[in-house]
Amino acid sequence: MISCGDHSEFNEYKTLENSAWKTEDRLVFSFKVKDTIVPKDLFINIRNNSAYEFSNLFLITALKRPDNSVVIDTLQYEMADALGKFLGAGFSEVKENKLFYKEHNIFPLLGTYSLEIRHAMRRNGNVYAMEFLKGVQEVGFSIEKINE
């Protein structure tokens, strides 16, 4: 396998116990920004297995800046094709999806940021988020230099 380590400025994963993402699990990634000029690509990385029941994934993110302002996003990603085959890379039942969070992002301030990620998956007709989202083994966050 070829690593994209040359372009990676930050890369961290959180492992979920029993491959189940609990509703109350808010995964937090803290990182330092030392450059407010050069744009970067930001990714949310999901490792799921065959126990994942859905073809999509809804996430809510909260990006906290050094000045304590917060940018909140609701995101939707496709996790499987029309035939139900999981997208992503991997030869085993575990698939890794590298999902764009922000493209060509320029951080406005120097200092420490934190990104909080939580799932927002619900069953059809249900108002409340699922207590356990099965099949998600790890959630990661990465920041990469743009390869131009």
Side-chain angles (χ1 to χ4, degrees):
M1 268 180 102
I2 297 172
S3 171
C4 56
D6 296 326
H7 301 289
S8 181
E9 291 191 358
F10 179 86
N11 191 21
E12 184 179 326
Y13 280 84
K14 307 281 184 185
T15 301
L16 300 172
E17 188 176 339
N18 299 319
S19 297
W21 195 348
K22 298 176 191 171
T23 302
E24 67 269 9
D25 285 348
R26 295 170 184 248
L27 307 175
V28 179
F29 301 88
S30 294
F31 56 97
K32 291 194 184 294
V33 169
K34 300 174 185 171
D35 178 354
T36 59
I37 298 171
V38 178
K40 313 281 192 257
D41 286 337
L42 284 58
F43 297 94
I44 295 173
N45 304 301
I46 304 290
R47 290 183 180 144
N48 67 287
N49 62 35
S50 59
Y52 191 76
E53 303 176 67
F54 303 96
S55 63
N56 63 353
L57 174 65
F58 284 92
L59 300 176
I60 298 174
T61 61
L63 180 64
K64 185 177 178 184
R65 297 176 176 164
D67 64 358
N68 289 322
S69 64
V70 179
V71 176
I72 297 174
D73 290 301
T74 301
L75 309 165
Q76 179 184 6
Y77 297 105
E78 288 188 33
M79 300 296 286
D81 65 17
L83 299 175
K85 181 181 175 202
F86 283 123
L87 304 173
F91 298 108
S92 67
E93 75 160 8
V94 177
K95 299 297 180 195
E96 178 156 7
N97 288 275
K98 184 175 180 178
L99 310 168
F100 267 109
Y101 167 51
K102 294 190 182 287
E103 292 183 77
H104 290 78
N105 182 73
I106 296 175
F107 291 103
L109 302 168
L110 297 174
T112 301
Y113 287 68
S114 66
L115 177 67
E116 176 185 284
I117 305 172
R118 63 187 168 104
H119 84 79
M121 294 296 290
R122 292 159 173 69
R123 295 219 180 265
N124 284 340
N126 198 335
V127 176
Y128 301 104
M130 297 178 63
E131 187 175 356
F132 294 97
L133 182 59
K134 296 176 190 170
V136 180
Q137 292 184 220
E138 292 182 290
V139 177
F141 173 64
S142 59
I143 300 171
E144 296 183 8
K145 297 175 190 172
I146 297 172
N147 193 12
E148 294 187 70

